C-alpha cells in the first residue's frame, strides 16, 4: 500500500477481569475475559472497513479503542501515521477527539432531548472552539443541508421528539461531520431505523464519506449492510478477527467456517431460493477462560486434533483475504471439499 | 374454511389528540397449517392488530368494528371469561420483546408449570414432563428449565417463549417480531424451530416482522400493512416477486441484498400519515411516485389481482409500467407534496 493508512492497529487487545458471581456453574473465581484479542488491521485514507460478528464478539470494544474511549491492554494504535496508543496530553487528545467521530446507534439517545437541533449542533463547535458566532450559524446551516435537511432553518428550533428517526439520524451524522473529522465510526447506524428510511441514511453516508474522503468503520451484524457500504470486511469471533480482506472476497468467497456459517444464516429476500444449511452447532461459548487452540473449535463442523492444540494464525487464502483456520490453505478448503462429496 | 378469518377489523386508540385509527378495516384469512407474515414499517398497526385479535389491547384501545372468526367463533363478541380459555389453549401470542417477559425472579420452569397446571390442569409430574418435552422440541437442553431467565441468551429466551406458547398445543400461534434483535445464526435457529413445528405439528402461524427476507424464508403468505390498512396480500412469491402495490415495490428496493451487490438501494422518502387524521384518499399518496388525481380523494380498495393475490391501488391496470419505473432511482426522488 502506497499511501499511509489513517488507521493502523497491531496486536490490539482489551482484556477485562471477569466477575462470575452470576454464573452458578463457576467455581474458579475471577477469570480473564478477552473482549478483543490480538487484532491487527489497517484502513487506508478514504476507505471503509466493516466489522461483523455475533453479539459480544468484541466489535464495540474494538471501536471504543479506535476512539480512545478504552485504553488497550496491549498492542499499538497508529492514527494518521502517529502512534497514539498511550496519548494522554490533554491538547493532543482533544485534537484527536475532533478528528475521530462516533455515530451512535440510537438517534433518540444520542441527542439531548431538551436541546433544539441548533443547540445540539452548536455544542461541538463550542467544545472545539470553531468559528465566530456568525460563522457558527452558517456552519450549522451548511451541516444540515449536507445531510439533506432542507431548508435547514426549519429544523433549527425543532426538538428531537418533533422529528422522525431517519431525520434524527441525519442530525446525528451532521453533528459528527460539523467538526470536519477525518475518521468516523458508525456503530449499527441504522438498526434502530425503519427499513423504508434506512436506505436513505445509508446512501447519504456513502455519498458524504466518499465526497469528504472520510475513513470509516461500520459496525453491524447485518452482512448485507456491510456488503453495500464497505470496501473491506473483518469478521470477528470471540475477540479475534477470523477473516479479513476485500468485501468481495470475504462475503462472496468466504473461507473461514464461521464466515461461511454467518453467510448461510442470512435469509434471502428471494422466496424461491432454497435456504442454505447452517452447519454450526451450539451457541457462542463464554468468552471467559477460553480453551487452547481455535476459539471456534466447539462449533466448527471441521474441527480436528490440531484445532484444539494450536491457535490458527492469520494466513492469506488464494482468494486474497486473510483467514485464521488450520484447514484453509491456498489449495484447499473444507467447504469446497464437502460440496464435491455431496455432488 | 379458514382457521382464522379477520373481517373489516377496526381498532382505535383514544388519545389526547383524538381517535387514532391504528387498524382501520383490515381483512385476511389464514388456513389451517399455513403461515402468514405481517410486514410494514413501525407504527403501521401490526402489534395492535394481533393484540386486538386475541383481545389484549391497552386500556385505551377498543375494537371499533369488524369480526375475528377463529375456529368457528367470533372472538370480538366472546365474553372475557370465555376468551381466557381460548388463549394459550387454542391460540397463543408471543408478544414483541417477549424475551423480557419471563419472570426474572423465578426459574424458567415456573412459567411453564403455571400455564400447564393452572390452565392445562396437568398434575405437577405431568407438567414437568411436558415442559421437558417442549424444551426438547425447540432444541433447548432440559437441564436449563431450572435456570433463571438472566442465565439465558437472547435466542434461548426466545426459544423458551416459543416453547411456552406451544405448551397447551394451540392451533394458532401469533409471534410478534420473534427474531428482531437476534443475531443471524440464532435468528436462523429460531426460524428453523418455527418452520419445523409448522411442518411436524401442522401449526398455523402468523408472524410479524419488518424484514421481508424473514418472510421470504419462513412464510407461505404475506400481508403488507401501511398506516392501519393492508395494501397488498397474497402468496409470498407473488407479492415479493410480482409486487402490485407501489409501497411493496418500494420496500423491495430498500433492502440490501447480499447476492445483488451492484444494485443501489432506494429509500421511500417521507413518513407515514398521522393516524389521528389520516388523508381521505390513498394513505400512501404523499410518498407515492405514481399518485394521480384520484389518489387524493378516493380510497383504493383491496381487489383481486390474480390467484389469491390482492392489492389496493388505483393504477393496477398500468402495473407493468409502474413495475418497470419502480426499479429506477429517479422515480423515487423527492416527490413534490
Ligand atoms: N396505547 C396506545 N395509545 C395510543 N396510541 C397507540 C398505543 N399503542 C399503539 N399506538 C399507536 O398505534 C399505531 C400502531 O401501533 P403498533 O404498536 O401496532 O405499531 P407496530 O406496527 O407494531 O409498530 P412497531 O414495529 O414499532 O412495533 C401507532 O401510531 C402507535 O403510535
Ligand atoms: N466494560 C466492560 N467490562 C467487562 N466486560 C465488558 C465490558 N465491555 C464489554 N465487555 C464484554 O466484552 C465482550 C465484547 O463486548 P462488545 O464489544 O460490547 O461486543 P459487541 O459490540 O460485539 O456486542 C462481551 O463479552 C462483553 O460482555
Ligand atoms: S481452525 Fe479448526 S476449529 Fe478453527 S475454524 Fe478452522 S477447522 Fe474449525
Ligand atoms: S392509489 Fe395512487 S397513491 Fe396510492 S399507491 Fe396507488 S398510485 Fe400510489
Ligand atoms: Mg455492540
Ligand atoms: Mg410492534
Amino acid at each position: 500500500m502506497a499511501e499511509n493508512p489513517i488507521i493502523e492497529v497491531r496486536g490490539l487487545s482489551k482484556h477485562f477481569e471477569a466477575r462470575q458471581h452470576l454464573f452458578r456453574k463457576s467455581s474458579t473465581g475471577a477469570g480473564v475475559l478477552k473482549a478483543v484479542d490480538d487484532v491487527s488491521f489497517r484502513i487506508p485514507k478514504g476507505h471503509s472497513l466493516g466489522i461483523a460478528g455475533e453479539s459480544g464478539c468484541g466489535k464495540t470494544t474494538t471501536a471504543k479503542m479506535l476512539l480512545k474511549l478504552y485504553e488497550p491492554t496491549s498492542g499499538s494504535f497508529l492514527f494518521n501515521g502517529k502512534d497514539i496508543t498511550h496519548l494522554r496530553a490533554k491538547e493532543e487528545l482533544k485534537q484527536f477527539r475532533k478528528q475521530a467521530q462516533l455515530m451512535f446507534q440510537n438517534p433518540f439517545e444520542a441527542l439531548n432531548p431538551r436541546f433544539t437541533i441548533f443547540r445540539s449542533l452548536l455544542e461541538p463547535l463550542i467544545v472545539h472552539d470553531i468559528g465566530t458566532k456568525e460563522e457558527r450559524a452558517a456552519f450549522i446551516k451548511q451541516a444540515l443541508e449536507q445531510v439533506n435537511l432542507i431548508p435547514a432553518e426549519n429544523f433549527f428550533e425543532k426538538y428531537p421528539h418533533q422529528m422522525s428517526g431517519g431525520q434524527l439520524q441525519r442530525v446525528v451524522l451532521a453533528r459528527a461531520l460539523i467538526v470536519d473529522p477525518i475518521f468516523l465510526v458508525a456503530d449499527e447506524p441504522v438498526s434502530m431505523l425503519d427499513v423504508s428510511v434506512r436506505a436513505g441514511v445509508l446512501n447519504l453516508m456513502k455519498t458524504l464519506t466518499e465526497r469528504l474522503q472520510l475513513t470509516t468503520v461500520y459496525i453491524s451484524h447485518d452482512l448485507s449492510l456491510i456488503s453495500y457500504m464497505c470496501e473491506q470486511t473483518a469478521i470477528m469471533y470471540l475477540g479475534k478477527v477470523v477473516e479479513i480482506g476485500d468485501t468481495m472476497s470475504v462475503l462472496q468467497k468466504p473461507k473461514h467456517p464461521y464466515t461461511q456459517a454467518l453467510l448461510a444464516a442470512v435469509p434471502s429476500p428471494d422466496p424461491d431460493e432454497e435456504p442454505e444449511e447452517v452447519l454450526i452447532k451450539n451457541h457462542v461459548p463464554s468468552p471467559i477462560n477460553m480453551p487452547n487452540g481455535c476459539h471456534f473449535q466447539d462449533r466448527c463442523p471441521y474441527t480436528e486434533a490440531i484445532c484444539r492444540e494450536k491457535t490458527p494464525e492469520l494466513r492469506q487464502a488464494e482468494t486474497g483475504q486473510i483467514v485464521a483456520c488450520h484447514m484453509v490453505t491456498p489449495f484447499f478448503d473444507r467447504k469446497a471439499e464437502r460440496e464435491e462429496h455431496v455432488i | 374454511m379458514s382457521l382464522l378469518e379477520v373481517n373489516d377489523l377496526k381498532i382505535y386508540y383514544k388519545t389526547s389528540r383524538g381517535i387514532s385509527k391504528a387498524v382501520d378495516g383490515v381483512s385476511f384469512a389464514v388456513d389451517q397449517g399455513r403461515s402468514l407474515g405481517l410486514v410494514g414499517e413501525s407504527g403501521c398497526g401490526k402489534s395492535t392488530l394481533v393484540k386486538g385479535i386475541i383481545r389484549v389491547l391497552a386500556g385505551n384501545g377498543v375494537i371499533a368494528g369488524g369480526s375475528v372468526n377463529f375456529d368457528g367463533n367470533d372472538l370480538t363478541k366472546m365474553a372475557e371469561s370465555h376468551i381466557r380459555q381460548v388463549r394459550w389453549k387454542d391460540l397463543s401470542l408471543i408478544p414483541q420483546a417477549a424475551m423480557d417477559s419471563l419472570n426474572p425472579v423465578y426459574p424458567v420452569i415456573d412459567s411453564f408449570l403455571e400455564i400447564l397446571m393452572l390452565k392445562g390442569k396437568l398434575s405437577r409430574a405431568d407438567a414437568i414432563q411436558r415442559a421437558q418435552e417442549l424444551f426438547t422440541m425447540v432444541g433447548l437442553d432440559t437441564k436449563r428449565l431450572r435456570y433463571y431467565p438472566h442465565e439465558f441468551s437472547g435466542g434461548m429466551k426466545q426459544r423458551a417463549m416459543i416453547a411456552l406458547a406451544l405448551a397447551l398445543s394451540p392451533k394458532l400461534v401469533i409471534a410478534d417480531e420473534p427474531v428482531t434483535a437476534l443475531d443471524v445464526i440464532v435468528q436462523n435457529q429460531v426460524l428453523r424451530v418455527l418452520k419445523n413445528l409448522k411442518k411436524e405439528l401442522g401449526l398455523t402461524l402468523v408472524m410479524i416482522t419488518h424484514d421481508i427476507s424473514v418472510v421470504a424464508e419462513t412464510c407461505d403468505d404475506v400481508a403488507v400493512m401501511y398506516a392501519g390498512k393492508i395494501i397488498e396480500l397474497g402468496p409470498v412469491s407473488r407479492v415479493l416477486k410480482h409486487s402490485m402495490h407501489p409501497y411493496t415495490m418500494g420496500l423491495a428496493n430498500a433492502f440490501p441484498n447480499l447476492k445483488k451487490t451492484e444494485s443501489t438501494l432506494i429509500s421511500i422518502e417521507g413518513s407515514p400519515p398521522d393516524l389521528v387524521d389520516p388523508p381521505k384518499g390513498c394513505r400512501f399518496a404523499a410518498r407515492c411516485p405514481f399518485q394521480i388525481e384520484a389518489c387524493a380523494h378516493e380510497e383504493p380498495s383491496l381487489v383481486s389481482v390474480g390467484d389469491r393475490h390482492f392489492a389496493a391501488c388505483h393504477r393496477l391496470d398500468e402495473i407493468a409500467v409502474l413495475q418497470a419505473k419502480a426499479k429506477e432511482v429517479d422515480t423515487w426522488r423527492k416527490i413534490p407534496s
Side-chain angles (χ1 to χ4, degrees), chain A residues 24 54-55 194-196 199-200 203 224 227-228 252 262-263 265 267-273 275 278 280 282, chain B residues 41-42 148 151 183-185 187-189 210 213 216-217 236 241 255 257-259 261 263-265 267-268 287:
Chain A
R24 52 174 69 190
E54 279 164 290
S55 172
D194 245 308
V195 179
S196 65
N203 284 336
S224 47
S227 109
Y228 187 63
Q252 303 297 328
L262 271 186
L263 282 160
S268 160
D270 182 347
D272 298 332
E273 206 169 289
V278 180
I280 68 175
N282 314 325
Chain B
E41 63 200 279
S42 177
Y148 287 82
E151 295 171 290
D183 275 317
V184 280
I185 290 181
Q187 164 175 309
N188 181 276
Q189 289 166 345
H210 60 267
S213 307
E217 205 160 296
V236 164
K241 295 184 97 166
F255 262 95
N257 182 346
L258 269 172
K259 308 248 156 65
T261 43
S263 58
T264 315
L265 296 185
S267 63
I268 308 172
R287 302 168 80 185

Side-chain angles (χ1 to χ4, degrees), chain A residues 164-212:
Chain A
S164 74
Q167 288 175 329
L168 281 183
Q169 201 56 313
R170 287 165 200 261
V171 174
V172 173
L173 179 61
R175 189 182 59 174
L177 297 183
I178 201 166
V179 296
D180 206 10
I182 57 176
F183 176 52
L184 178 72
V185 176
D187 193 346
E188 299 280 11
V190 295
S191 65
M192 302 293 288
L193 302 183
D194 245 308
V195 179
S196 65
V197 295
R198 270 183 203 184
V201 173
L202 291 177
N203 284 336
L204 178 69
M205 293 183 76
K206 209 170 161 162
T207 327
L208 280 180
T209 51
E210 264 161 38
R211 191 195 306 155
L212 303 172

Side-chain angles (χ1 to χ4, degrees), chain A residues 68-85:
Chain A
K68 288 200 68 66
L69 299 173
Y70 275 159
E71 178 94 351
T73 308
S74 58
S76 60
F77 174 20
L78 277 69
F79 184 70
N80 211 358
K82 192 167 158 236
D83 188 335
I84 62 163
T85 321

Side-chain angles (χ1 to χ4, degrees), chain B residues 11-22 58-62 276:
Chain B
I11 306 170
Y12 297 167
Y13 289 111
K14 284 195 208 87
T15 75
S16 58
R17 296 189 308 118
I19 302 290
S20 174
K21 300 176 174 173
N60 61 334
V62 291
V276 171

Side-chain angles (χ1 to χ4, degrees), chain A residues 14-19 33-36 51-64 70 187-188 219 236 238-239 286-288, chain B residues 183:
Chain A
K14 181 72 188 172
H15 298 176
F16 295 106
E17 221 158 82
R19 273 175 283 141
L33 189 160
K34 299 184 177 177
V36 174
I51 305 181
E54 279 164 290
S55 172
C57 72
K59 306 180 296 289
T60 302
T61 305
T62 305
K64 283 186 171 166
Y70 275 159
D187 193 346
E188 299 280 11
I219 290 177
M236 286 186 76
L238 283 177
S286 157
I288 301 160
Chain B
D183 275 317

